[in-house]
Amino acid sequence: MGSSNFLGGHSRKHKVTIVGSGNWGSTIAKIIAENTREHTDVFEENVQMWVYEEDVTIPKESKHYNESTADTPQKLTEVINKYHENVKYLPGVALPPNIVANPSLNDAVQNSTILIFNLPHQFIRKVCEGIRGEIMPFARGISCIKGVNVTDDGISLFSEWIGDDLGIYCGALSGANIASEIAQEKWSETTIAYDPPPMDSRAPTPRNASPNPDAAGEIPEIQHLDARGRKSKTKLTPLPIEYPPLDHNCFRMLFHRPYFHVQMVSDVAGVSLGGALKNIVALAAGFVDGRGWGDNAKAAIMRIGLMEMVKFGKEFFSETVRTGTFTESSAGVADLITSSSGGRNFRCARKAVEKGVSVQDVEREDLNGQKLQGTSTAHEVNSFLKARGLEAEYPLFTAVDGILRGEKKVDDIPALVSDT
Amino acid sequence: MGSSNFLGGHSRKHKVTIVGSGNWGSTIAKIIAENTREHTDVFEENVQMWVYEEDVTIPKESKHYNESTADTPQKLTEVINKYHENVKYLPGVALPPNIVANPSLNDAVQNSTILIFNLPHQFIRKVCEGIRGEIMPFARGISCIKGVNVTDDGISLFSEWIGDDLGIYCGALSGANIASEIAQEKWSETTIAYDPPPMDSRAPTPRNASPNPDAAGEIPEIQHLDARGRKSKTKLTPLPIEYPPLDHNCFRMLFHRPYFHVQMVSDVAGVSLGGALKNIVALAAGFVDGRGWGDNAKAAIMRIGLMEMVKFGKEFFSETVRTGTFTESSAGVADLITSSSGGRNFRCARKAVEKGVSVQDVEREDLNGQKLQGTSTAHEVNSFLKARGLEAEYPLFTAVDGILRGEKKVDDIPALVSDT
């Protein structure tokens, strides 16, 4: 795809940093580095990947495994930069050589205009603290962190956390994206939501002498409503005119591959909610499947769950959420289908019902103490709804939480959702 | 559910006839007969089921199997009425005793105000010919026949065939409904589309002396557009006021069971198209699954297919079709999920790709010469689109037809649908 026609004439290129290097982070880094190599007129070819440094040994899945050095610990960043493989979190997958693993977070984000966040959500706050004031003020972020944060007080998006903490605009990526399949270049789709406020003029870069310094003063405000209708405000710094625009075309170019198709949308809340709420539905699908009710019932659960996802989004993010984000996008219906087909929440819920034990028992036995995303989301969402007296309006979400707590039975589901 | 409150005060009850008695027909008869027993203030308890008479022997799956009489042929209607089991098409499932199997089509429809059509579509014309003029002029129909009729000239709905042939209004039922699961009372959902034109007054029954004969003259016209924008007109006879209204409440009461949840909608075309077009998508899902591309890719195919279904419906039935019928109903997304999970089209397509043979080869080997619904629908829809120069706007439908014809490969799919 030729890009110079519509992005041409800019003196600066975008530098990209991936913040995070796990299974999904390394997979996204692979995609992005493949694209920066193909669009060197828009992006700097080298892509920084911040890696939490640790000592690793080369596992057998790696093609760089060597029996004689198998027990010798090495620095993960050095291994990645030498072998172009994340031997610990994505072994066996060749990474493009233009990925530069960097153990210093501060160094990795220097001069980057595009920051891709791909790390467990519990590390967001700390990472943002570490780089606040160190990043380009006009940088833009994309959060690949699935889900949302739900408390009794309200719902917040991880992309909002990042954006508010860093004073930048941050969009969100989510979809039917099992990392291991994408790393093997098996075809899939994703949805990227990106909706910065309109900016009529872009400022010259602050680091260069500016012919019109006043332009930098035009700082638009971005407002978003949280679940309680609060408006939070982040003052955005416009992107200097020397850079190609950071718009849907640009992000599509950065993420779209022949095996990874990107839809660009504007509904950040819908995309983020989809990735969280689908886990509740996947648990319900697992319950029903474990009960042996067959494909009709599983499809019914998924349909009803999808409708509750739409209703939830519309009720608590009415200003921005679009029904189609849930019913038509990869971050909505497709991710729901994938998660309810073979995802971890689905499998554990099915196993619990088949064995006649609780999901908590399966978590303990099969997940080494790890918790399923769906069980905590189900509890948080239930508590949030209960605080508003709205449990009855979300009978499937409420039933899942009731089953997890041992207060309802799977056999109750049809009657509970009967009026849906 | 008490029904007398809102339907009370009517001197006549609805008599129901099921036209057809196969696997799905017998399952629907079971549901309806269970409901007429519970709502005897609205419906006559006995339900007529027209059975194409044949000699049968009792198979081993039946609890009425008896080794000594196993080889003695008996009339199917007599067996059903004696044992309350359709031993040939739904063996092992107890039918309510208020189902009356009737070998005479004419006799079965006498005085019925509700006709449920549930037979292979190739018999519709002949059955309608046989009862034209024999039915109550104000009867209403529901077609449980899946799919639509597509030719190069246009698309017509089976419910329209029935309605036009008989001069009555006919709605449609479709959903994620594998008959064998429903017959076992495993929970599922369905969608019934029913949208007769508004009638301000209903006429007194023609068989009784009428206090106001002019009311019968108020015959509204129902108009529907076919794919070419033609308007066809059926003169409808209003239902006499002696009967409870034949509205959404009434049909929900007739079909809804604790294990069979009914959504009533108005979009007959959307519900009918869903049941046809999903088979094309299920073939595509099978292709991708057979190629080993995993759950991401399968979900992507289903999402893209759903979007082409919406587009197709909107393009050719713009006056009536609702997006939500595809993206939110059991006849849409849920049926698509079920069919793409374990349906016959899906399984045969997957097997063809796994074995490296054509779908036609699998049809020949595995289906005893029967044809898949999806292959003929794919060809008909492709031919219809080609005749209008619209193939390129439906890349997935077009790819499926191309793969079936051996002109495209499964590996081409991602590139072909890249702009979706």
Side-chain angles (χ1 to χ4, degrees), chain A residues 74-95:
Chain A
Q74 307 178 57
K75 298 277 181 219
L76 180 53
T77 53
E78 287 167 16
V79 171
I80 293 173
N81 290 331
K82 182 170 164 197
Y83 294 129
H84 308 300
E85 180 183 343
N86 187 335
V87 297
K88 175 139 186 191
Y89 297 106
L90 197 58
V93 174
L95 298 177

Side-chain angles (χ1 to χ4, degrees), chain B residues 179-209:
Chain B
S180 56
E181 293 182 2
I182 298 166
Q184 294 169 62
E185 303 191 3
K186 291 179 176 176
W187 173 59
S188 71
E189 294 187 311
T190 202
T191 312
I192 299 176
Y194 183 78
D195 188 31
M199 300 188 218
D200 292 336
S201 68
R202 290 190 286 143
T205 168
R207 302 194 178 194
N208 291 343

Side-chain angles (χ1 to χ4, degrees), chain A residues 176-179 181-182 186-189 252 256 258 261 263 288 292-297 299-304 306-307 310 323 327-330 333-335 337-338 341-343 413-415 417-420, chain B residues 176-179 181-182 186-189 252 256 258 261 263 288 292-297 299-304 306-307 310 323 327-330 333-335 337-338 341-343 413-415 417-420:
Chain A
N177 296 149
I178 300 166
E181 294 182 1
I182 298 166
K186 292 180 175 176
W187 173 60
S188 71
E189 294 186 311
R252 190 173 188 277
H256 191 87
H261 289 188
Q263 314 162 261
V288 160
W293 286 351
D295 285 337
N296 290 346
I301 281 288
M302 289 160 76
R303 189 198 72 78
I304 293 168
L306 189 59
M307 292 304 92
V310 170
T323 299
T327 59
E328 303 181 4
S329 85
S330 180
V333 63
D335 195 17
I337 291 171
T338 302
S341 299
I413 290 178
V417 302
S418 183
D419 286 328
T420 307
Chain B
N177 296 149
I178 300 167
E181 293 182 2
I182 298 166
K186 291 179 176 176
W187 173 59
S188 71
E189 294 187 311
R252 189 174 189 279
H256 191 87
H261 289 187
Q263 313 162 262
V288 159
W293 285 351
D295 285 338
N296 290 346
I301 281 289
M302 290 159 76
R303 190 199 70 79
I304 293 169
L306 189 60
M307 293 301 93
V310 170
T323 299
T327 59
E328 302 181 5
S329 86
S330 180
V333 62
D335 195 18
I337 290 172
T338 302
S341 299
I413 290 178
V417 302
S418 182
D419 287 328
T420 307

Side-chain angles (χ1 to χ4, degrees), chain A residues 14 40 95 104 120 122 125 137 167 184 187 206 214 224 229 240 244 320 337 339 379 385 401 412-413 418-420:
Chain A
H14 290 295
T40 50
L95 298 177
S104 161
Q122 55 269 32
R125 293 288 189 204
Q184 293 170 63
W187 173 60
D214 289 346
H224 33 235
T320 58
I337 291 171
S339 300
H379 293 324
L385 290 172
D401 188 62
D412 297 333
I413 290 178
S418 183
D419 286 328
T420 307

Side-chain angles (χ1 to χ4, degrees), chain A residues 229-277:
Chain A
R230 285 180 324 198
K231 280 185 186 175
S232 76
K233 294 176 185 182
T234 302
K235 295 218 173 201
L236 286 190
T237 307
L239 184 74
I241 50 171
E242 286 80 0
Y243 288 95
L246 281 170
D247 56 10
H248 279 194
N249 280 328
C250 180
F251 282 105
R252 190 173 188 277
M253 198 184 296
L254 188 62
F255 282 95
H256 191 87
R257 296 296 301 157
Y259 61 86
F260 190 64
H261 289 188
V262 171
Q263 314 162 261
M264 297 296 309
V265 302
S266 298
D267 178 7
V268 181
V271 161
S272 305
L273 284 170
L277 300 175

Side-chain angles (χ1 to χ4, degrees), chain B residues 375-394:
Chain B
T375 54
S376 57
T377 304
H379 292 324
E380 287 158 12
V381 165
N382 184 255
S383 183
F384 172 86
L385 290 172
K386 197 180 269 175
R388 285 153 186 80
L390 292 172
E391 276 181 295
E393 293 190 29
Y394 296 85

Side-chain angles (χ1 to χ4, degrees), chain B residues 33-105:
Chain B
E34 287 168 359
N35 279 326
T36 58
R37 271 199 299 199
E38 288 185 13
H39 303 289
T40 50
D41 49 340
V42 178
F43 305 108
E44 288 187 19
E45 187 166 343
N46 278 352
V47 169
Q48 289 282 318
M49 178 168 77
W50 173 59
V51 176
Y52 185 85
E53 189 68 290
E54 55 188 307
D55 285 335
V56 297
T57 53
I58 313 280
K60 283 192 179 159
E61 302 95 296
S62 167
K63 52 180 178 273
H64 303 287
Y65 175 78
N66 181 325
E67 216 168 291
S68 65
T69 60
D71 295 332
T72 319
Q74 306 178 58
K75 297 279 181 217
L76 180 53
T77 53
E78 288 168 15
V79 171
I80 293 173
N81 290 332
K82 183 169 163 198
Y83 295 128
H84 309 300
E85 180 183 344
N86 187 335
V87 297
K88 177 140 186 189
Y89 297 105
L90 197 58
V93 174
L95 297 178
N98 54 324
I99 293 179
V100 181
N102 192 332
S104 161
L105 178 59

Side-chain angles (χ1 to χ4, degrees), chain A residues 66-329:
Chain A
N66 181 328
E67 214 168 293
S68 65
T69 60
D71 295 332
T72 318
Q74 307 178 57
K75 298 277 181 219
L76 180 53
T77 53
E78 287 167 16
V79 171
I80 293 173
N81 290 331
K82 182 170 164 197
Y83 294 129
H84 308 300
E85 180 183 343
N86 187 335
V87 297
K88 175 139 186 191
Y89 297 106
L90 197 58
V93 174
L95 298 177
N98 54 324
I99 293 178
V100 180
N102 192 333
S104 161
L105 178 58
N106 262 328
D107 189 62
V109 299
Q110 285 303 312
N111 298 318
S112 282
T113 47
I114 300 177
L115 304 171
I116 312 297
F117 293 86
N118 204 326
L119 71 175
H121 68 87
Q122 55 269 32
F123 302 128
I124 295 174
R125 293 288 189 204
K126 202 167 165 206
V127 157
C128 287
E129 261 171 45
I131 58 176
R132 192 179 303 140
E134 302 289 327
I135 59 168
M136 301 285 253
F138 44 77
R140 299 279 185 273
I142 298 288
S143 161
C144 304
I145 303 158
K146 278 225 174 157
V148 297
N149 187 61
V150 184
T151 66
D152 285 5
D153 288 338
I155 300 157
S156 55
L157 312 180
F158 296 135
S159 55
E160 286 176 341
W161 290 14
I162 295 168
D164 289 347
D165 276 7
L166 299 180
I168 65 173
Y169 177 79
C170 186
L173 177 151
S174 187
N177 296 149
I178 300 166
S180 56
E181 294 182 1
I182 298 166
Q184 293 170 63
E185 303 191 2
K186 292 180 175 176
W187 173 60
S188 71
E189 294 186 311
T190 201
T191 311
I192 299 176
Y194 183 78
D195 188 32
M199 300 189 219
D200 294 336
S201 68
R202 291 191 284 144
T205 168
R207 303 191 181 198
N208 292 343
S210 162
N212 174 16
D214 289 346
E218 262 195 38
I219 297 176
E221 286 181 352
I222 171 169
Q223 300 192 337
H224 33 235
L225 294 173
D226 73 4
R228 288 169 302 170
R230 285 180 324 198
K231 280 185 186 175
S232 76
K233 294 176 185 182
T234 302
K235 295 218 173 201
L236 286 190
T237 307
L239 184 74
I241 50 171
E242 286 80 0
Y243 288 95
L246 281 170
D247 56 10
H248 279 194
N249 280 328
C250 180
F251 282 105
R252 190 173 188 277
M253 198 184 296
L254 188 62
F255 282 95
H256 191 87
R257 296 296 301 157
Y259 61 86
F260 190 64
H261 289 188
V262 171
Q263 314 162 261
M264 297 296 309
V265 302
S266 298
D267 178 7
V268 181
V271 161
S272 305
L273 284 170
L277 300 175
K278 56 127 191 187
N279 289 321
I280 308 179
V281 186
L283 287 171
F287 291 148
V288 160
D289 206 48
R291 200 67 190 75
W293 286 351
D295 285 337
N296 290 346
K298 212 175 125 183
I301 281 288
M302 289 160 76
R303 189 198 72 78
I304 293 168
L306 189 59
M307 292 304 92
E308 291 196 11
M309 288 165 65
V310 170
K311 182 177 161 68
F312 191 93
K314 289 281 187 192
E315 186 148 3
F316 301 111
F317 291 83
S318 57
E319 307 241 332
T320 58
V321 158
R322 282 191 58 247
T323 299
T325 307
F326 298 101
T327 59
E328 303 181 4
S329 85

